[in-house]
Amino acid sequence: MNVNQSAPPVPPFGQSQPIYPGYHQSSYGGQPGSAVPPTPYGAYNGPVPGYQQTHPQGVSRAPPSSGAPPVSTAQAPCGQAAYGQFGQGDIQNGPSSTVQMQRLPGSQQFGSPLAPVVSQPAVLQPYGPPPTSAQVTAQLAGMQLSGAVAPAPPPSGLGYGPPTSLASASGSFPNSGPYGSYPQGQASPLSQAQGHPGVQPPLRSAPPLASSFTPPASGGPRMPSMTGPLPPGQGFGGPPVSQPNHVSSPPVQALPPGTQMTGPPVPPPPMHSPQQPGYQLQQNGSFGPAGGPQPSYGGPYPGAPNFGSQPGPPQPLPPKRLDPDAIPSPIQVIEDDRNNRGSEPFVTGVRGQVPPLVTTNFLVKDQGNASPRYIRCTSYNIPCTSDMAKQAQVPLAAVIKPLARLPPEEASPYVVDHGESGPLRCNRCKAYMCPFMQFVEGGRRFQCCFCSCVNDVPPQYFQHLDHTGKRVDAYDRPELSLGSYEFLATVDYCKNNKFPSPPAFIFMIDVSYNAIRTGLVRLLCEELKSLLDYLPREGGAEESAIRVGFVTYNKVLHFYNVKSSLAQPQMMVVSDVADMFVPLLDGFLVNVNESRAVITSLLDQIPEMFADTRETETVFAPVIQAGMEALKAAECAGKLFLFHTSLPVAEAPGRLKNRDDRKLINTDKEKTLFQPQTGAYQTLAKDCVAQGCCVDLFLFPNQYVDVATLSVVPQLTGGSVYKYACFQVENDQERFLSDLRRDIQKVVGFDAVMRVRTSTGIRAVDFFGAFYMSNTTDVELAGLDGDKTVTVEFKHDDRLNEESGAVLQCALLYTSCAGQRRLRIHNLALNCCTQLADLYRNCETDTLINYMAKFAYRGVLNSPVKTVRDTLITQCAQILACYRKNCASPSSAGQLILPECMKLLPVYLNCVLKSDVLQPGAEVTTDDRAYVRQLVTSMDVAETNVFFYPRLLPLTKSPIESTSEPPAVRASEERLSNGDIYLLENGLNLFLWVGASVQQGVVQSLFNVSSFTQITSGLGVLPVLDNPLSKKVRGLIASLRAQRMRYMKLIVVKQEDKLEMLFKHFLVEDKSLSGGASYVDFLCHMHKEIRQLLS
Amino acid sequence: MATYLEFIQQNEERDGVRFSWNVWPSSRLEATRMVVPLACLLTPLKERPDLPPVQYEPVLCSRPTCKAILNPLCQVDYRAKLWACNFCFQRNQQLLLPNLSTPETFFRGARSPLIFLYVVDTCLEEDDLQALKESLQMSLSLLPPDALVGLITFGRMVQVHELSCEGISKSYVFRGTKDLTAKQIQDMLGLTKPAMPMQQARPAQPQEHPFVSSRFLQPIHKIDMNLTDLLGELQRDPWPVTQGKRPLRSTGVALSIAVGLLEGTFPNTGARIMLFTGGPPTQGPGMVVGDELKVPIRSWHDIEKDNARFMKKATKHYEMLANRTATNGHCIDIYACALDQTGLLEMKCCPNLTGGHMVMGDSFNTSLFKQTFQRIFSKDFNGDFRMAFGATLDVKTSRELKIAGAIGPCVSLNVKGPCVSENELGVGGTSQWKICGLDPTSTLGIYFEVVNQHNSPIPQGGRGAIQFVTQYQHSSTQKRIRVTTIARNWADAQSQLKHIEAAFDQEAAAVLMARLGVFRAESEEGPDVLRWLDRQLIRLCQKFGQYNKEDPTSFRLSDSFSLYPQFMFHLRRSPFLQVFNNSPDESSYYRHHFARQDLTQSLIMIQPILYSYSFHGPPEPVLLDSSSILADRILLMDTFFQIVIYLGETIAQWRKAGYQDMPEYENFKHLLQAPLDDAQEILQARFPMPRYVNTEHGGSQARFLLSKVNPSQTHNNLYAWGQETGAPILTDDVSLQVFMDHLKKLAVSSAS
């Protein structure tokens, strides 16, 4: 015991009391270099680009703004304190930016929380080196966007400190980075806007530019700040930022937008008419004063160039819009986080610690809080009061993946057996024993960390306390020292007070004409023969305990008796689909090994038996019903694997009509497309859940199958839906089989109930995911696998206490695949704050987007899509406006200031808004939308991240020898060079884009054809060639696929080919054909919204 | 012509007909005073090895309402080539040689194969099921090779097995609790698929027809192996039966599906649905008892108290099925083997109305079942199966008679004609009946009414005629028509009562009256029926007895009536009318057989035969009386349902002492063997196989004998007590002597 005790450096738990001291250490302690600590921190805060909109006059302004920075810097120190989770109220403002400083005691005292607040936020500290500006302030002066750089906290290691302060950059400097491009010289903004090319180059070449700009930036510091955030590699590079700052002065930027709108906007005509116009107007309005200038700019595009003259080389090209390089870049943020936090394990001992981004590879050490792989929160610092929460509008939510798979380096949760009495729980709130329970009275009692009830410690559990009040055996007991662990459940936790039998898998195969014709049935049966050897098994079990059964169906069902004693399988046809039942018990669910011969025989014969079928009609609900009844009869939980091809039109319960009607899109009735046609499936799902019957659905539709209705049961039972439109064995076999293999093999918990308990003060109020709820607290999951997440939203019902923080406990009661009943417990302690700045500094945008997407996707069931979109935009604007109002350093109203942690919120949110569900393109089918909608519902943060903002990897840019993944580029057509080849993936799709002027040698070594024109468009497989490039690309594709939950089918797209339209759909920073705004446009719009809120 | 007895026997031999009266009272009034109605027992397919087939169409009377068939009784004018119909006196052209009273005509028309649909209960004990499976497999070898067979199994579910498939055996499964309409069943079995094209492509239909149905009904020669394997793999119902529960048995639905299947595929083609069940239906439509073992199946007591909650509903279900089956010309057999009741009471109508068999046994693993079942497939001297299907019996009478009804394994076809009486006896109101399944012994009681008025005397020598026309599907799958025409003399009851009396067939009369009584017993209270029987008997005695008023001792009956009261005495005690000591199922079983067996067998049922074996001489028939039970005798009793061998006390002791094994007592061995051999002989021929009881004095099974004999000596009549002869029976039943005494008293009484 002792050993253990000593081991943990700083008892994570203790923290609260020891507070400061402990905390510092603990948090950073883990990391090797002192320098390190900052790093992590930085990660979040990272780059804080500021967007400033400067009025035309911006120039003049700039200086002042720059002035501001200093202030901020000063504060910065304070920030650190704030950062300390200990919720020192004062600190908050802080400008956390300083955070890094923490170490420095001095720093902490930020004298005045004032001004600094805002801008600083930039948490520069993080990586000392790249001082990130806390917030990104974008100045959209009038029309211009000048990146107002968040002042990077100078203090941070690198002495950028000053720059930090810059944040103030009233737009002008650093942060502006993002926007910067525009802003460059006041004039520049315009110019930039017009000619990206011109601008960009400078940006990229960070160093030079930076330097050049620096001066203008006035605030030398900015530079640093800028740089910090933007790793050199990236276009975003700090330097550019700085430029913007400079630019800031030139409110000019505003123009660009304006311009777009008006005449010049060569690009796409204003898609969302409402938006753009509105936008314009507002701008004008807001700028009242500026108004004047605008016009002037606006009109004369040519004029713009003039501005540009400033630092950057004026570009001859007509300005089009804001320079994308000047606005916050997801790529940059991800890259920074990887660099800064990827190398050190994330130690969970400290309360309220924001984990690295999901895109960063990191190891987790469980020291009392659940790994972020299990739980991620939108914010790790919760406002103490509901008023604050309401003000900020930042949703408080946790994305929980209770059975998440861990990398091999991390140990899976320990199993704790408390014997016959079962797990120790609080008598009042029933929370399970966890590291946050406080033992008192010499260990005889413990106080519940959730409800404060004082409970007796049962004699067999008694243990003495050491001098710090900790139990002596704390480190021997996972439930006292770890964030995640499992209890063995006693019989009290079992259905009917009986230990469960091992679960069963039932394969239910559509054998109607369509399924046979496409070769699906043959393929599937062949595959199942070998796949049955890979059923999930527990731990080191020799063979899986799971039993299997088989059903085929068209408009009647065929059950199979595959009892081992039979020479041949027996088929039992049930035609009474109106009143489904299971025709047999014994022999239906069997052990694979015992019945192997019979099963093999069956799988051999199924394709033959139905080879000549003419039956085209199918049923659906009765199939599920049958599977569920079979499990019920066998008294076990389990999973149904349904392989279905068509709209179930046969006369039977759950029969569906083709009600697809694209005319409903954009009407108030659009929501009906997402709603199930009939309530029958909900009822059925309810029964399934009661039986612990999870349904996985594989769809192979040729046309509309009403995914919205068919997916109801999988959705409510914790199952998955896979869709292979126009399935053809040749093209889709690999994808289907790969998904199938993964789906069958993955570890699943059955018949689960999840309950999230929280400290008094907040309460779980809303849940998203694939599950069913019969009351308001218990999430019932017929099945739950390692890929499924449940998102939980919290609301205040009382005040929280800064000192004690807030604790979450997620308890999942489930039946393992070997039939063992277990409880998995995840605990997570969060900080609480009384200052809004703390909240903003500890947010996680990816998680926020995950939540917002789910919220919106659920919203479309009940509200017109337009309303949902508006709600999202409004909420986002409110969040940012609140920050601007309460946390950002004062600056011009024309400045767009984003909190460092949320600087990607606009770009990501825009991706959500233009996703197929919320803004469908002409080629997107109703089924696709419904499919994606339900898919997103149970996605984890990493999945939503890449789903909404796809990864675009240049393949030919980096040297062939390099083994690492090439650095991604931003998802915009502008980033594509026609001499290169790119891979794009979003977790579902995978494209290989080939530029029209790719070197012939590359074409040859990759496609084995001699020229670009000979490449088959739409190709799905790369030829296997023995050359480094081919190997590398194929290797990369394989590794990308391995990272994702579903197999991504490759599509080769040639530049200028008609397939390119499809590909372009995923270039999410661009305007979409369906009317989705470009990133830049959206940012302007967001700024306008914010300004409206503020005024 | 020698005696009436010979006449009667000749008639029976030739035509399969026995009349209660062989000289008919010529007026309605007199006929009713005869007490025993004018009626006959008709065995339509009585085996006639000598019957030559006639290869031409029957010649019909041209009067549309008559259509009687030319027969030997018709007056024929060979020169004019005319014949006069003896029923309507129509003069018909055309002529052929009429020389047979019972010709049979064959048609070569469309031959449709025989169909055997096995409906098998799988809720059996393992050894029972095994035995049944073996019997079924064995039966496959007995079927005609082109017969179609089908298999339905049931337990908690009902499975219809598809027999055509190779590799995977395939079956359609139905929930055992849900009643389905024929249409639903056919839909679910995919039998109605061609419904749409059928109307357009009518001509093609016939060929397609067998194809559709072939999935479930296959020619035995094609799927012999397949089916044998299938039966071999048949498992007990796999659904668990918890302690204290009966297995869930869906007999009602299984039958319903069987009926629906045949209805949809082979209407009006000879088919047997053969239900093998080992217990009562416990769920779904037709359930007879719940699955709780603690609630016993209904008894007569429950029924009397109106406590049989499922009975009415179940009966209704099976009646509905039986009627549908009959309409389609199929028949239903029930083979019920279980120690407890199986619901025959409710299901009896299935075989009763369709001419199917009902077999009751303790287990499928008994020779009783095995041999009975085998006997279903026995063949006649021509090598044809002793079964026929889809028969219609058309009865025509000369105008002095009308048809009152029929009792037997038939249903009415509701054909009202001029010769149909308004008074019903049995199933009346029609001149045609359908007998869906029949064999050479199937016998119907047909009742007539003399309608000739007293004031329109029939000329001397006038004869009444009745023609029975039976069209049926022979087991060789041919359609055949058998025509039996009989005629009897009329007599004026006032002047020629002696003639009538002498021509009384008391055996036939007893059976015919018994059938009426049993028929009534199905719907009336037992005591009422007995009272009715008694009254009829007394009236008969009053009418034909010779006595002085109020002087019982003077009472005499002529020979032709002498046995009749005794028959009635035993009938009163028979299980057909007494339910005491019998379960409802047993009563149903006994009544079923009584209503279809021929005269000889029926008489045995009414009054069992008792043979006595002793060293004193050859075996002799003895009185069915307790006085026949002697210590040094071996008795052999045949009650039709049971064959009982009973060793008298001394004999039993000898056997116990092992004398039969000693060479010097070989005669004893022979004595013991004699009744066994005789019993064997009876067993050989009897269908269904009787229960074979081998018992001895004091043996528990001796009750079978004791309950049947006339209790002339009981513990009550002391005068016999202690005497050497006979054995006292512990009963309060009246003995034949007492019965006769009362009868005489009542007969001579002027009060009644």
Side-chain angles (χ1 to χ4, degrees), chain A residues 241-448:
Chain A
V241 179
S242 62
Q243 297 176 2
N245 299 335
H246 303 303
V247 181
S248 67
S249 53
V252 183
Q253 302 165 353
L255 293 179
T259 44
Q260 291 181 357
M261 318 307 291
T262 54
V266 182
M271 309 302 298
H272 26 51
S273 48
Q275 271 198 344
Q276 288 196 351
Y279 169 42
Q280 278 189 344
L281 293 178
Q282 290 189 1
Q283 281 190 347
N284 295 337
S286 63
F287 289 92
Q294 282 194 0
S296 66
Y297 290 118
Y301 249 92
N306 299 338
F307 292 121
S309 65
Q310 278 205 350
Q315 306 222 342
L317 301 178
K320 272 187 189 166
R321 49 176 180 161
L322 282 178
D323 177 1
D325 279 346
I327 51 183
S329 157
I331 303 302
Q332 187 64 54
V333 172
I334 290 170
E335 204 61 32
D336 289 347
D337 194 69
R338 274 191 190 151
N339 293 338
N340 295 317
R341 302 196 65 178
S343 53
E344 294 303 323
F346 177 70
V347 181
T348 68
V350 181
R351 184 171 86 186
Q353 240 186 150
V354 184
L357 296 184
V358 285
T359 42
T360 302
N361 283 323
F362 60 100
L363 279 187
V364 180
K365 284 191 180 168
D366 186 344
Q367 289 195 0
N369 281 298
S371 157
R373 297 188 209 287
Y374 295 123
I375 307 182
R376 273 186 180 266
C377 294
T378 52
S379 172
Y380 289 80
N381 205 330
I382 301 180
C384 279
T385 67
S386 64
D387 286 348
M388 266 177 80
K390 271 181 202 142
Q391 203 182 353
Q393 287 287 326
V394 176
L396 302 176
V399 179
I400 307 177
K401 200 175 184 184
L403 297 182
R405 285 179 310 150
L406 302 179
E409 301 84 4
E410 296 176 18
S412 42
Y414 289 97
V415 179
V416 182
D417 187 354
H418 275 185
E420 283 181 10
S421 55
L424 187 53
R425 308 174 68 171
C426 166
N427 288 334
R428 181 156 66 190
C429 69
K430 301 295 178 196
Y432 296 85
M433 178 52 63
C434 73
F436 309 114
M437 296 289 188
Q438 197 69 47
F439 285 85
V440 295
E441 295 184 26
R444 283 194 306 273
R445 307 179 125 199
F446 69 92
Q447 182 170 28
C448 176

Side-chain angles (χ1 to χ4, degrees), chain A residues 581-595:
Chain A
F581 62 97
V582 197
L584 77 171
L585 181 61
D586 190 25
F588 179 61
L589 296 177
V590 296
N591 173 294
V592 174
N593 285 333
E594 285 170 11
S595 290

Side-chain angles (χ1 to χ4, degrees), chain B residues 496-736:
Chain B
Q496 300 172 293
L497 188 61
K498 285 287 174 217
H499 281 90
I500 295 175
E501 198 179 319
F504 180 65
D505 182 343
Q506 55 184 336
E507 293 180 338
V511 173
L512 286 161
M513 286 303 283
R515 283 206 180 193
L516 277 178
V518 171
F519 185 82
R520 282 172 174 252
E522 295 285 359
S523 51
E524 293 175 27
E525 295 281 328
D528 294 345
V529 177
L530 292 181
R531 262 196 294 280
W532 173 80
L533 267 184
D534 291 346
R535 204 161 50 242
Q536 301 300 313
L537 177 59
I538 294 163
R539 283 179 53 206
L540 188 74
C541 289
Q542 285 173 332
K543 173 82 181 172
F544 295 100
Q546 293 168 346
Y547 53 87
N548 301 324
K549 285 231 187 264
E550 308 297 342
D551 178 6
T553 57
S554 66
F555 184 85
R556 293 287 179 280
L557 275 176
S558 66
D559 284 350
S560 56
F561 288 89
S562 60
L563 295 175
Y564 189 81
Q566 192 182 326
F567 289 140
M568 290 298 115
F569 169 75
H570 286 291
L571 176 63
R572 290 176 95 264
R573 287 166 52 83
S574 74
F576 310 114
L577 298 180
Q578 295 289 346
V579 298
F580 178 76
N581 245 343
N582 287 311
S583 69
D585 273 11
E586 285 169 320
S587 298
S588 304
Y589 176 64
Y590 296 141
R591 287 171 181 173
H592 165 83
H593 283 287
F594 187 70
R596 61 176 292 151
Q597 292 293 342
D598 64 16
L599 180 134
T600 315
Q601 306 296 339
S602 299
L603 271 186
I604 295 175
M605 289 187 221
I606 294 175
Q607 180 174 341
I609 300 172
L610 193 63
Y611 292 97
S612 174
Y613 297 76
S614 72
F615 289 121
H616 307 297
E620 52 178 359
V622 292
L623 286 178
L624 184 63
D625 192 294
S626 58
S627 61
S628 301
I629 305 175
L630 298 172
D632 58 349
R633 305 289 160 97
I634 301 176
L635 297 177
L636 170 64
M637 181 177 72
D638 177 8
T639 72
F640 185 85
F641 298 104
Q642 296 107 12
I643 303 286
V644 181
I645 294 173
Y646 173 91
L647 308 187
E649 193 171 5
T650 315
I651 303 275
Q653 284 165 354
W654 287 343
R655 189 179 65 165
K656 201 174 177 189
Y659 286 100
Q660 70 277 16
D661 298 329
M662 301 179 195
E664 59 270 42
Y665 293 104
E666 202 182 352
N667 60 339
F668 178 58
K669 186 178 174 185
H670 288 145
L671 181 64
L672 285 179
Q673 189 58 40
L676 295 181
D677 292 342
D678 288 353
Q680 213 52 49
E681 209 164 296
I682 300 172
L683 291 174
Q684 291 303 335
R686 180 74 44 83
F687 177 91
M689 269 279 285
R691 178 186 293 271
Y692 183 52
V693 178
N694 206 332
T695 185
E696 60 182 25
H697 175 80
S700 69
Q701 307 253 55
R703 67 178 190 276
F704 284 105
L705 174 65
L706 301 184
S707 66
K708 289 291 179 191
V709 295
N710 169 36
S712 59
Q713 292 129 324
T714 72
H715 56 287
N716 289 326
N717 48 6
L718 292 174
Y719 61 89
W721 195 251
Q723 288 181 0
E724 273 301 304
T725 58
I729 312 294
L730 302 178
T731 180
D732 290 327
D733 290 356
V734 295
S735 67
L736 179 58

Side-chain angles (χ1 to χ4, degrees), chain A residues 569-573 575-576 579-583 585-586 602 605 609, chain B residues 157 159 167-175 178 188 233 238-240:
Chain A
Q570 294 176 346
M571 176 203 267
M572 308 177 89
V573 184
S575 339
D576 190 1
D579 190 8
M580 193 35 71
F581 62 97
V582 197
L585 181 61
D586 190 25
L602 171 66
Q605 292 186 59
M609 276 191 293
Chain B
M157 309 283 172
Q159 277 176 269
I168 289 187
S169 68
K170 193 168 166 187
S171 60
Y172 283 67
V173 188
F174 295 81
R175 200 192 269 279
K178 192 171 170 186
M188 288 179 187
E233 287 208 328
W239 297 87

